């Protein structure tokens, strides 16, 4: 389940190339990085570095662990990936070409449920105004139990009572 994409003028690969060449010390766009960008932006997902490293191995890419970490950091810096901190875990997801949205995180099955709500942005703007705060972005993560895990727990409790 993912939200409808937002139209962007450049492909993720071109966008990243532009970022690398615009650095104070321009960097080379390696074939490994190109493969990673293509893979990461192939599908919208919430993943951590280890999951990406496993996927890279499965796909048979030649990218080392260090390259994966370095590329993730650069993609965040380029504004293409968003970092989501949940407890001690760090997840990544597309920011480039994807609409603003927030998350419900299930601490039982680690599921990330995306949502959008029209009331949220005006509310945040209002809060920032009250504090004379200049908003440069936010991410909201609600932790708890998803419907399935909650149902499983209630069922188990009922069974325990029998
Ligand atoms: Zn769950
Ligand atoms: Zn998301």
């Amino acid at each position: 389940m993912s939200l409808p994409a937002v139209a962007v003028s450049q492909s993720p690969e071109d966008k990243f190339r532009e970022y690398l060449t615009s650095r104070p010390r321009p960097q080379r766009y390696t074939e490994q990085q190109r493969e990673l960008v293509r893979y990461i932006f192939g599908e919208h997902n919430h993943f951590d570095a280890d999951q990406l490293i496993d996927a890279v191995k499965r796909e048979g890419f030649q990218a080392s662990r260090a390259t994966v970490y370095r590329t993730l950091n650069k993609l965040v810096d380029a504004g293409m990936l968003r970092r989501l901190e949940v407890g001690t875990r760090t997840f990544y997801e597309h920011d480039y070409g994807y609409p603003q949205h927030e998350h419900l995180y299930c601490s039982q099955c680690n599921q990330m449920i995306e949502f959008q709500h029209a009331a949220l942005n005006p509310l945040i703007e209002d809060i920032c105004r009250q504090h004379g705060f200049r908003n440069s972005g936010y991410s909201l993560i609600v932790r708890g139990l998803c419907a399935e895990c909650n149902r499983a727990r209630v069922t188990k409790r009922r069974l325990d009572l029998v």
Side-chain angles (χ1 to χ4, degrees), residues 21-70:
T21 54
S22 71
R23 297 292 79 205
R25 291 177 55 189
Q27 297 164 26
R28 221 161 62 82
Y29 198 177
T30 63
E31 187 53 36
Q32 286 103 306
Q33 284 177 327
R34 212 187 310 263
E35 279 186 329
L36 279 174
V37 170
R38 216 176 288 147
Y39 180 79
I40 292 171
F41 284 86
E43 178 180 27
H44 185 77
N45 236 328
H46 304 93
F47 57 91
D48 65 16
D50 286 329
Q51 285 169 322
L52 182 60
I53 288 163
D54 285 347
V56 160
K57 272 195 209 129
R58 258 200 323 274
E59 300 283 321
F61 295 165
Q62 296 303 313
S64 69
R65 218 180 157 78
T67 303
V68 169
Y69 273 101
R70 245 193 327 262

Side-chain angles (χ1 to χ4, degrees), residues 143-158:
R143 287 176 299 273
L145 284 182
C146 74
E148 290 102 273
C149 291
N150 198 31
R151 210 176 300 129
R153 175 181 271 207
V154 171
T155 312
K156 189 179 174 298
R157 203 179 297 145
R158 269 202 209 108

Side-chain angles (χ1 to χ4, degrees), residues 106-111 144-150:
C106 178
S107 51
Q108 183 102 34
C109 67
N110 297 322
Q111 193 186 170
L145 284 182
C146 74
E148 290 102 273
C149 291
N150 198 31

Side-chain angles (χ1 to χ4, degrees), residues 122-153:
L123 182 67
I124 300 275
E125 290 293 343
D126 207 35
I127 293 165
C128 290
R129 227 180 345 260
Q130 284 170 25
H131 291 265
F133 193 84
R134 222 180 104 209
N135 176 6
S136 64
Y138 60 89
S139 61
L140 179 69
I141 302 173
V142 182
R143 287 176 299 273
L145 284 182
C146 74
E148 290 102 273
C149 291
N150 198 31
R151 210 176 300 129
R153 175 181 271 207

